[in-house]
Structure formats: structure tokens, C-alpha cells
Amino acid sequence: MKKIIFTLFITGLIINYSFSQSAKKGSAPDKETEKKEYVSKGGFAEIPAAKRPKSMDKLKAEVAASKDESPETEEKNRNTILYGTSVEVGDLLSTLIKNEDPRFTEEIYDLFQETQNSSIKQKVLQYFTKVEDPCLEDYAVELINDPYDEKNDVVNAAFEYIGAVKTKAAIPAVISIIESENEAFFNAAVLCLGEIGGAEEAVFLAEYLERDDLTLPQRQTLMRICGKMHAIETYDLLVDVLENEDENTFVRMYAAESLGLMKTEKSIKVLKRNFDSTDPNLRQYIIKGIKNFPESKEAASIIMQGIKDDHWKVRQESIKAASEMNLTSAVSTIIYRAKNDSEKVIKDECYTALGQLNTPEGNKFLIQQITDEKAGDNVKIKAVEVLLKNGTTGEKEILELAEKMLKDDRRKNLRTAIGKELAKYKRDSFAAICGQYLESKDVTTVSLGLDMYKIGKYPSVESKVRAIAGDKKANASNKKRAMKMLGIEDTPSEK
């Protein structure tokens, strides 16, 4: 019955949305901002043909395999997919999503075809969303055509999936959901249309934005998506919203961001003239918008002002923007803020930006924090993190610091933090320090050494891992991990 009612409802939703604007007599319309007539394309979407998953990405598979706890992990995971409970499968899928592990796509696809469990359906959709595999397009589009008999979480996961794999065939069904004004799916449908729609769909959303019966959250969602779709047809509307002081603050904020996302040069002047707003939230979002113009001197000038803004949110956003724009001229100012800012969150952001900008001046400052005895341990940890993440600069100083901390039990927290960072990377130069962590008498330190070995598989260190596996006095957890990594079976002890 629901399907019949829904079909009749959709049939009646073919509505004309008129955006035409009369041109003044004798003048040519501005083609870039000319409003167009939009005719609703809502309706049932044609279901794509069924297909198997894509071929496995071998490089990603190798990276994922390096994170396995033991040689048996891969087989264990396959068995969990085949025979596990919904909770066990769900936990495994969460791990596979986190690691972007593509080794089990065939088994996961087959599981999806046979399961009736909504939680597994949701997790599998999230998995194929992460790996961006279109193998479930047929299911997702069919579900969006008539979503009312499935759990909301599964439907919303299908919207996200369609957006991730760019299933344009779903556009009619997505528009129909938006037009139906179903609150459970409205935001997810709008976000999805932002990913798969084009200029015509952006015009449709802009017209929708002018309605009086929308809730505030709906207006905010629509505003953010208009910019993401890069539809210049909505430019004038967004400018009006941004400069309307009676408009909701959040809607104005998202208008500022959207104007930048359009990447049309005329947005720069609009954003610049609104940067003197007394509202720090609006200034923050103007930074979000103007960072989309990395070649503009005017944009760079606004970013530099933002780094010195009185409000921490604006400073933080501006430092992020300087990093994303590769604004190396901002390095000296960022170093100053790293030394003197009153907010820890800003100092941390400064360190992250300096690492990403990767300039001689910035790297010198970061290395100084590692070698300076007066620098606090939290500062050293952050410097280690950003330097390792962005290359090998400072590696010598980091390893020297780690070696020093192995001899100082008063600073175990720093030793542990450095170990965690080292364990994120497979570098031959880390083999020696890995061995030193494994030789420690401290249980946590040894565990970190095993983490380093797990990712690096350093041949020169294997003997130390075997020593832990065969040591009757070793910590039980570390001993068991060492045995797993080496593929040694854990036999019950004799009585």
C-alpha cells in the first residue's frame, strides 16, 4: 500500500521551478549569473545493473596486511565474515573500514546478498562507501526509490554510499525524497544530491532555499551544498544571504564558505568586504571561503590578518588555511603564535601547519623544540608527530631523543609517546630503536617495540622478538603477541 501511495505522490510532484529573470531592454544578460528555469526531475530512478566488486587494489592490500597482528589474521577475518555473529562481523567491518582494507570485498559482497540483518547492511554500505566501490549501486538506488520499509540508518547509509560512488542514475529518486520533505531523510538526500548533481540540481536547491516552510537545519544544509556543487547560477542568492544581517548567523556562515567553494574570482571582494564583521563565527567562515583562492594576494592578505585575529577560532582557521594554501610567507607569524599564543589548541595548530609547510625556517624551529632541554614534553611530542608525518627532516634528533628517554624512567610518558609515533611508519632507519624498545625491562616499552616490529618487520630485530616469544618470564601479553607475529602456536603448558 505504501508503494502505491508513494508512486501516486511522486507522479504529482512534477513541478516547475522558475528562475528566469527578465533582462532589461537593450542589455545582454550576464551568462555567468543568469537564472535558469528548472523543471523537477523527481521520480523513480532507473536501477543500475548488478555488478561484482572491483579488482583488489594490491598496494592498499599490502598496506592493510602490514597491520595484521599475525600471519593467521587474514584467514581469521575471512572466517569471521563467513561464520561470525552480527556483532563480530560489525566489529571486523569497523576495523576494515579504518584500515581501508580491500582484501575481503568478494566475501563482504556475498554476505550482503544473503543477510537480512540491518546492522550488517549498514556496515557493509559504509565499507563500500570507504573503498568507493560501486558494486552495490543496484541495491542502493532501488532502496532510495522506496525507502520507507527499511530502517532509517540503512537508508541514510545508502545516500552516503550513492554520493561516494557518484551514482548519477539516482538523481530522480533523490530529488523525490527532497520534495517529499521527509525529515528523516532530508539532510542525507540533500548531501547526496550535492555529490552527484550538477548545475540544474543546484538551481533546484537554491529555489528550495527560498521557501518559508523549511526548518533552520534544512536551510543550513541547503546553503552548504549550494557552494559544494560549484553552481555559479546560485551566486547572487548566496551574496544576498551573506550580506543580510537579519539572516540566521549559521546560514550566513555557510553562504560565505559556499561563495569560496564556487571559486569564482568575484567572490574574493565580497568575502573581503565582509571580513570586518563583529561576529567571529562569520569571520571564521569567510576564511573557510577565501582559502579557495591560493593564488590571490587579496586572499593571502585576509589570511595573514586572520592569524592575528583576537578570536581563537579565527586564528585557528587562518593557520589551517595558510597550510592548505602553502602560504610560506606566513611561517614567521605562525612561529610567533606557536611561541606566544595563550591557547594550546592554537599552538598545536601552529606545529601542524609548520610541519606541512615544510620550510627551512619552520623545520629549524620544530627541531629546536626536540633538542631544547627547556622545551616541555608536550611540545616535544607535537614536534615529533608533525616532523615524522611530513618526511625525514629531524629524524636524527628524534631517534636520539627516543634513545635518551629509554634510559630515563622518570619520563616514561615522553618515551611512550615517541614510540607510538615511530610505530606508525615503516622505515629501515627505525630498526635499531625498535630493538632497543624490545630490550627494555618496562612492559609498555616492550609492547611499543612490538608495535614497531609489526609494521616494519625488521629482519635485524626478529631475534629479539623470538627471545620474547620464548621467555617464560616475559609479560604474558607481550609473549603472546610475539608468538602471533612469528606464527608460533600457543600450546597449553604441561601440568
Side-chain angles (χ1 to χ4, degrees):
M1 183 64 181
K2 285 184 178 179
K3 291 187 177 182
I4 296 173
I5 295 173
F6 184 68
T7 303
L8 293 172
F9 177 73
I10 295 302
T11 304
L13 278 176
I14 308 302
I15 305 169
N16 291 335
Y17 292 87
S18 176
F19 280 83
S20 57
Q21 184 180 13
S22 299
K24 293 182 179 179
K25 185 175 181 180
S27 63
D30 179 0
K31 292 184 179 180
E32 192 175 27
T33 59
E34 179 184 8
K35 293 184 178 180
K36 299 179 180 180
E37 180 180 280
Y38 178 80
V39 178
S40 171
K41 293 183 179 179
F44 277 84
E46 183 176 347
I47 299 172
K51 59 181 77 68
R52 298 289 302 181
K54 297 185 296 186
S55 298
M56 181 176 64
D57 185 319
K58 292 183 179 179
L59 180 59
K60 285 187 176 181
E62 289 176 5
V63 172
S66 71
K67 299 176 182 178
D68 286 349
E69 187 70 20
S70 72
E72 291 79 26
T73 297
E74 184 169 344
E75 182 181 0
K76 179 182 176 183
N77 289 346
R78 292 189 194 282
N79 287 335
T80 298
I81 294 169
L82 289 172
Y83 312 118
T85 66
S86 61
V87 173
E88 292 168 342
V89 172
D91 289 345
L92 173 59
L93 286 171
S94 294
T95 300
L96 299 180
I97 291 169
K98 179 182 177 181
N99 294 337
E100 295 186 58
D101 192 336
R103 291 175 291 171
F104 311 98
T105 52
E106 294 289 339
E107 291 87 347
I108 294 171
Y109 177 85
D110 290 337
L111 170 67
F112 187 86
Q113 302 307 316
E114 64 183 38
T115 187
Q116 298 299 314
N117 187 292
S118 293
S119 64
I120 291 181
K121 287 181 182 179
Q122 180 186 354
K123 275 291 184 182
V124 173
L125 281 166
Q126 290 171 347
Y127 171 81
F128 283 115
T129 297
K130 183 70 171 183
V131 298
E132 296 183 358
D133 192 317
C135 62
L136 296 181
E137 283 183 317
D138 56 323
Y139 168 83
V141 174
E142 184 174 11
L143 177 59
I144 298 305
N145 271 333
D146 183 11
Y148 300 103
D149 291 326
E150 183 57 89
K151 288 188 176 180
N152 290 356
D153 287 344
V154 178
V155 177
N156 286 325
F159 277 119
E160 187 176 354
Y161 171 79
I162 288 169
V165 299
K166 302 294 187 286
T167 308
K168 292 187 177 295
I171 288 177
V174 176
I175 289 177
S176 293
I177 296 295
I178 296 171
E179 291 176 330
S180 73
E181 301 179 22
N182 183 294
E183 290 187 8
F185 306 136
F186 184 87
N187 283 354
V190 171
L191 292 170
C192 178
L193 191 60
E195 295 291 340
I196 64 177
E200 289 186 49
E201 286 71 41
V203 171
F204 159 67
L205 292 178
E207 166 69 8
Y208 222 82
L209 186 63
E210 295 179 335
R211 293 176 48 158
D212 295 328
D213 57 344
L214 292 176
T215 66
L216 184 56
Q218 288 174 334
R219 285 174 55 74
Q220 292 171 359
T221 301
L222 284 165
M223 181 57 66
R224 299 196 81 167
I225 295 306
C226 282
K228 192 171 184 178
M229 296 176 78
H230 297 185
I232 196 64
E233 291 85 355
T234 65
Y235 175 84
D236 290 337
L237 171 64
L238 296 186
V239 173
D240 290 343
V241 170
L242 170 61
E243 300 192 327
N244 180 4
E245 295 185 359
D246 293 328
E247 179 60 86
N248 173 265
T249 297
F250 286 95
V251 176
R252 293 181 70 198
M253 287 158 52
Y254 299 146
E257 182 180 18
S258 294
L259 283 167
L261 288 169
M262 286 183 180
K263 297 184 179 180
T264 177
E265 292 292 325
K266 57 186 179 179
S267 290
I268 296 174
K269 289 185 178 180
V270 175
L271 293 171
K272 182 178 179 181
R273 72 171 176 250
N274 284 278
F275 191 64
D276 65 351
S277 170
T278 57
D279 186 342
N281 293 310
L282 186 56
R283 297 201 303 277
Q284 177 191 8
Y285 272 73
I286 286 173
I287 295 295
K288 282 179 177 287
I290 211 161
K291 73 181 180 183
N292 291 283
F293 303 94
E295 305 300 324
S296 167
K297 292 182 179 179
E298 287 183 288
S301 175
I302 295 297
I303 299 301
M304 293 299 293
Q305 291 179 53
I307 296 174
K308 296 179 281 188
D309 196 273
D310 289 335
H311 199 282
W312 70 268
K313 284 185 179 180
V314 184
R315 296 201 300 278
Q316 183 182 34
E317 198 64 52
S318 299
I319 293 164
K320 285 181 182 178
S323 174
E324 293 174 28
M325 296 168 70
N326 196 31
L327 195 62
T328 56
S329 59
V331 166
S332 296
T333 307
I334 294 173
I335 289 175
Y336 179 87
R337 296 255 58 89
K339 292 178 179 178
N340 300 289
D341 206 282
S342 59
E343 301 288 342
K344 182 181 182 300
V345 66
I346 300 299
K347 290 185 175 183
D348 286 349
E349 199 65 60
C350 287
Y351 278 74
T352 299
L354 291 171
Q356 291 174 345
L357 288 168
N358 196 23
T359 66
E361 182 185 7
N363 290 338
K364 180 181 178 181
F365 169 77
L366 292 171
I367 292 171
Q368 284 175 346
Q369 309 317 301
I370 292 171
T371 58
D372 186 354
E373 292 289 344
K374 295 180 181 179
D377 285 358
N378 288 336
V379 167
K380 292 182 184 298
I381 292 167
K382 191 63 181 179
V384 168
E385 175 194 334
V386 300
L387 284 169
L388 288 178
K389 184 177 181 180
N390 292 287
T392 59
T393 300
E395 188 177 283
K396 173 177 172 290
E397 290 79 6
I398 292 169
L399 294 176
E400 288 175 352
L401 179 61
E403 187 173 355
K404 184 177 180 180
M405 291 305 101
L406 283 165
K407 302 171 184 176
D408 189 351
D409 285 341
R410 295 171 302 173
R411 300 172 77 181
K412 285 184 180 180
N413 288 341
L414 180 55
R415 177 203 305 172
T416 298
I418 295 174
K420 287 180 178 179
E421 293 303 321
L422 293 170
K424 293 178 181 179
Y425 307 96
K426 180 180 181 180
R427 298 181 188 174
D428 291 341
S429 54
F430 291 178
I433 199 69
C434 172
Q436 291 180 54
Y437 268 75
L438 290 170
E439 290 171 346
S440 174
K441 294 180 180 180
D442 178 68
V443 171
T444 301
T445 304
V446 173
S447 179
L448 288 166
L450 290 171
D451 289 341
M452 293 181 210
Y453 179 77
K454 174 184 169 182
I455 191 74
K457 303 292 191 299
Y458 306 115
S460 62
V461 180
E462 184 178 327
S463 60
K464 292 181 173 61
V465 179
R466 289 193 177 278
I468 295 169
D471 186 356
K472 294 181 179 180
K473 296 181 180 180
N475 172 266
S477 177
N478 285 339
K479 180 181 175 71
K480 187 174 182 179
R481 286 190 67 199
M483 292 175 70
K484 279 188 175 182
M485 289 179 186
L486 297 169
I488 300 173
E489 292 187 12
D490 188 5
T491 56
S493 58
E494 295 182 2
K495 295 183 179 179

